[in-house]
Amino acid sequence: MEKEEILAMSRAEKKDEGAEYVMDKGRRYGIAAMTMIYLALLVFNMIYHQNSYTLFAMYWIYLGFEFLGRYKVTKKSVLLCGSIASVVLGIVFVAVHIISVAR
């Protein structure tokens, strides 16, 4: 392939790799911040003897869909298994939270 053909194909994809890089970088910071606040709230809940079912549910569901997105790109079966397990665990924590509140 010649240089012009490669450039034409790249333009036809209409992907902005710079924008994708910025979004990935931002997503990493967002994940790190979410994990830090998650851990801080877990510690707070432990200190004050509160349950953390909602925190567990939200975090596991998030991780499940994060793994699902990665699986769709890489097709690695370990990510699909992780996604399924995480979503199931998140749903279990939602159910446990609902049961504990409804008592």
Side-chain angles (χ1 to χ4, degrees):
M1 257 188 205
E2 292 182 23
K3 179 181 176 182
E4 291 303 317
E5 289 178 54
I6 294 170
L7 287 173
M9 288 174 56
S10 176
R11 287 185 197 114
E13 287 181 5
K14 297 186 181 190
K15 272 187 171 179
D16 185 354
E17 290 179 10
E20 286 182 23
Y21 172 79
V22 168
M23 287 178 61
D24 287 342
K25 191 86 165 175
R27 190 174 298 118
R28 285 187 191 136
Y29 284 121
I31 291 168
M34 185 181 68
T35 301
M36 285 187 284
I37 194 69
Y38 168 75
L39 293 173
L41 288 170
L42 283 178
V43 169
F44 178 84
N45 285 350
M46 280 189 233
I47 291 170
Y48 289 99
H49 306 289
Q50 299 294 313
N51 74 49
S52 296
Y53 301 136
T54 54
L55 292 174
F56 292 141
M58 288 175 53
Y59 199 74
W60 284 108
I61 293 287
Y62 168 76
L63 285 180
F65 282 94
E66 178 78 18
F67 289 154
L68 182 63
R70 290 181 187 180
Y71 166 75
K72 286 185 175 188
V73 173
T74 64
K75 301 297 183 199
K76 291 183 179 179
S77 60
V78 70
L79 291 173
L80 181 61
C81 293
S83 174
I84 292 168
S86 296
V87 169
V88 167
L89 196 54
I91 291 169
V92 167
F93 278 116
V94 168
V96 169
H97 172 69
I98 291 170
I99 291 167
S100 69
V101 169
R103 284 187 184 170

